Amino acid sequence: GQNIDQPTEMTATEGAIVQINCTYQTSGFNGLFWYQQHAGEAPTFLSYNVLDGLEEKGRFSSFLSRSKGYSYLLLKELQMKDSASYLCAAMDSNYQLIWGAGTKLIIKP
Amino acid sequence: DGGITQSPKYLFRKEGQNVTLSCEQNLNHDAMYWYRQDPGQGLRLIYYSQIVNDFQKGDIAEGYSVSREKKESFPLTVTSAQKNPTAFYLCASSTPPGQGRDEQFFGPGTRLTVL
């Protein structure tokens, strides 16, 4: 079957760095997406990886290892506004997104 | 400004009633999607459409129906056959899958509560 695993909840301190891991098993693979979702709001796109390696975009970076079925989202210089859920989603061979349950990130002052 | 709108944001219905959730986009996207989100679970695909007048069932289509008569609009009807309809419903759109990044853009969501 197809499956996405990511931690349910993480806590970090303002100004610090946090890494949110995601492992996936899909029928075929056409890319890995990360979205941010604040409580009660729509998910917003953060990053997309289809090749192995690190993609950096400001304070956020995303890494992919296709051979390991593994990705992580790295958030630097954490701010209180980064408190949100982070959703990992893998696109399968039919171009359908398989979604993880999300990681709730709590930022403490 | 381009985007996706969903209305209403909050909706209350009595058990046994059908209800239709609106989704409109002006991004000129061919593909549109309906997801359901429940606490502690990932987004689950209800229906999707890649072109006008065509749509396919997702993983949890039972008790739901859709139409795609216009490119901009993809309404979802939650029927009385849906056993547990209380949830947060998200509509999304994208360029046709397989053409690159294919990121999905989401509307603000409709929170449906069935009493």
Side-chain angles (χ1 to χ4, degrees), chain A residues 42-68:
Chain A
T44 55
F45 171 80
L46 288 178
S47 69
Y48 170 73
N49 296 67
V50 67
L51 300 176
D52 285 356
L54 187 69
E55 296 275 346
E56 297 185 77
K57 191 187 297 183
R59 294 189 300 114
F60 292 6
S61 303
S62 57
F63 172 84
L64 176 67
S65 168
R66 295 179 62 144
S67 62
K68 296 182 178 178

Side-chain angles (χ1 to χ4, degrees), chain A residues 2-51:
Chain A
Q2 305 197 101
N3 191 50
I4 305 283
D5 284 317
Q6 53 181 129
T8 303
E9 186 175 296
M10 298 181 71
T11 302
T13 304
E14 190 177 14
I17 299 172
V18 69
Q19 177 175 312
I20 303 174
N21 296 325
C22 170
T23 58
Y24 64 89
Q25 289 179 306
T26 54
S27 301
F29 180 75
N30 281 296
L32 193 292
F33 294 78
W34 283 97
Y35 281 79
Q36 180 190 60
Q37 185 179 26
H38 286 98
E41 298 182 9
T44 55
F45 171 80
L46 288 178
S47 69
Y48 170 73
N49 296 67
V50 67
L51 300 176

Side-chain angles (χ1 to χ4, degrees), chain B residues 44-105:
Chain B
R44 292 185 290 169
L45 183 64
I46 304 172
Y47 269 97
Y48 65 100
S49 168
Q50 297 188 9
I51 196 168
V52 174
N53 292 323
D54 187 45
F55 48 83
Q56 286 78 42
K57 292 181 179 180
D59 300 321
I60 56 165
E62 185 176 350
Y64 299 98
S65 66
V66 293
S67 63
R68 187 82 187 277
E69 297 176 1
K70 298 187 299 181
K71 187 175 184 178
E72 302 80 18
S73 179
F74 191 40
L76 173 74
T77 296
V78 185
T79 75
S80 57
Q82 169 50 232
K83 295 178 181 178
N84 186 19
T86 295
F88 188 46
Y89 291 87
L90 287 160
C91 178
S93 71
S94 74
T95 54
Q99 294 189 5
R101 199 168 70 179
D102 302 334
E103 71 195 77
Q104 293 183 11
F105 294 81

